[in-house]
Amino acid sequence: MSRITVIPFGPQHPVLPEPIQLRLELKDEKVVSALPVVGYVHRGLEKLVETKDYLQTVYITERVCGICSFIHSVAYCQGIETIMGVEVPPRARYLRVIWSETHRLHSHLLWFGLLADSFGFENLFMQIWRAREAVLDLQEATAGARVILGTCCVGGVRRDIDQTGRDLTLATLDKLEQDIKKIANPILKDYGVQQRTVGIGRISRELTYERGAVGPTARAAGIAQDLRQTGYAAYGELDFQPVVETAGDCYARLQVRVREMNQSIELIRRALERMPASPISVPVKGNPDGETVSRVEQPRGEVIYYLRGNGGKNLARMRIRTPTFANIPALLAMLPGAELANVPVITLSIDPCISCTER
Amino acid sequence: MLKFIGNILQNLTHKPATRPYPYQKRAPIAGNRGHLVIDPAVCIYCGLCSKRCPTQALAVTRKPNPNSWTLDPYRCILCGYCVEVCPKHCLSLKPEHGDYSSPNSP
Amino acid sequence: MIMNLSEIKLENLIGAVAAKRASGYRFVTITCSDLGDAFDLLYHFDKELKLETLRVRLPKGAELPSISAEYFAALLVENEIKDLFGIAVAGMLLDYQGRFLLPEDAPRNPWRRPSGDADPGAAPRKEGSDHE
Ligand code: SF4
Ligand code: SF4
């Protein structure tokens, strides 16, 4: 018997932290096709920007995403700095790397916990989120807020990390490295986890590229593309190499993110060690006049900002394309042929962030 | 599962990672942006803070009206922009998280 | 200034996009802005971390040809542009009928400006004019 059944997956679903609906067409238990339905949380932030001056906009960009917020403000500030020809002091560039990487750490830990939750491993979820707490506390101590740091500004950063902050960061990282090792290694080898992820949601390198996927989704399929390779902020001075896996399934995406967590720890250590002494910001005068495209790497992949100012203090146009928006077409290619029971795991494996997709 | 033994033992023998909030509160972390306070003696009611605030959380009135500075804590996003622009440095962010559950609390 | 920007005519769009695909570019996104009398569309492509952009000017009222036959991924952003700006996009593989990003009860085409409207950034806006 092969009738087509349509099942709405979401917008409210236990594994989805945010509302998106996938209309799944099923033949028995197998997905034939999927249609994404978004638009539950469209906030019109790109329009809101037209009513704020370009310095206030930093706070809006930080609120595009509730997980990788600092990296959004880095992308925005870099764009404005390009338009206005502002040279950011070196120490500020290093501090931007440090907070970007703490964001990547807590974002990947959050995702790792949710993945565990999606295949019913509640205990693991709790373990991982307990480890993540340390990163949030670290951000609170160094930047003054747990997630939305508010430390990036046009022309540099607002806060410095002093010796105490540095020691605290290193101590937290050592502890976290132990925690990740304790959790991740058994998990990657665990039979149950492998059953639920190896070979699930597999996508070929060519198809991934054609669908325009970015970030860990692309890197798990063998595409060695990471915008940190372009050396923005201080990444050019930190011997950065992208993490790549080739299998293109959920397990590979898990592996990429686990390895990226360790890489982030290493990058922060390096940045703390090589950070030069200098002022942390330069004063910015005038209004942006001109247009630019700014791209940076987020935990989920490439984010792209288009900014256009015309000499007024408000921007004429700001457009954001977030990584999940680019990964949805790839997700649609992963789903056909999958079992219904695996749909949550596959959906989570691209680390969907819906609020920032819709902005 | 054997690989998890250490973890399990730790979970059995250690204190819980959570606190019985609100009976026991965590000490605020220094440097946190918890709530905004003003020193009214220093403020000159110039209104710069309210102009720059990205969320219009501040309202400042001056002569001929009575001098006043009011904060809408539900709009404030604790960004600290007002603290930066205030010419008299009379605003500051304190690390304790504000308790705004009742209308008259700080 | 945008690096590697080339301006092309609307009728050459599909050809230029096909050429990008043939030389192995990844589709990044389309950026649309309303300039009052026309739309400014930027097609971004990436190859080995080098961003290339095609700029097309679309007069108001004209129809935009869809590139979703070349790049499937363009489908979502074309639907987004249709929703927000009210541009008619011809030949999309999947058409959400203007209800992709916006829910049923949302206003239609909220980001479209009346013809001849000045750029918003040029005139200083009133403080606190955000909608409540
Ligand atoms: S900027 Fe400072 S001095 Fe001026 S009104 Fe605000 S708090 Fe008072
Ligand atoms: S901290 Fe930010 S949001 Fe709060 S009153 Fe000051 S400027 Fe406004």
Side-chain angles (χ1 to χ4, degrees), chain A residues 29-51:
Chain A
E29 286 280 298
K30 281 230 183 330
V31 179
V32 182
S33 72
L35 179 72
V37 181
V38 299
Y40 298 96
V41 280
H42 177 69
R43 293 166 291 167
L45 292 182
E46 291 174 1
K47 193 79 178 165
L48 178 62
V49 166
E50 293 174 6
T51 65

Side-chain angles (χ1 to χ4, degrees), chain B residues 38 42-50 58 60 69 82 85-91:
Chain B
I38 183 172
V42 185
C43 176
I44 53 170
Y45 303 97
C46 64
L48 205 58
C49 52
S50 70
L58 295 171
V60 178
W69 179 95
C82 53
V85 297
C86 174
K88 303 302 279 184
H89 307 290
C90 60
L91 295 172

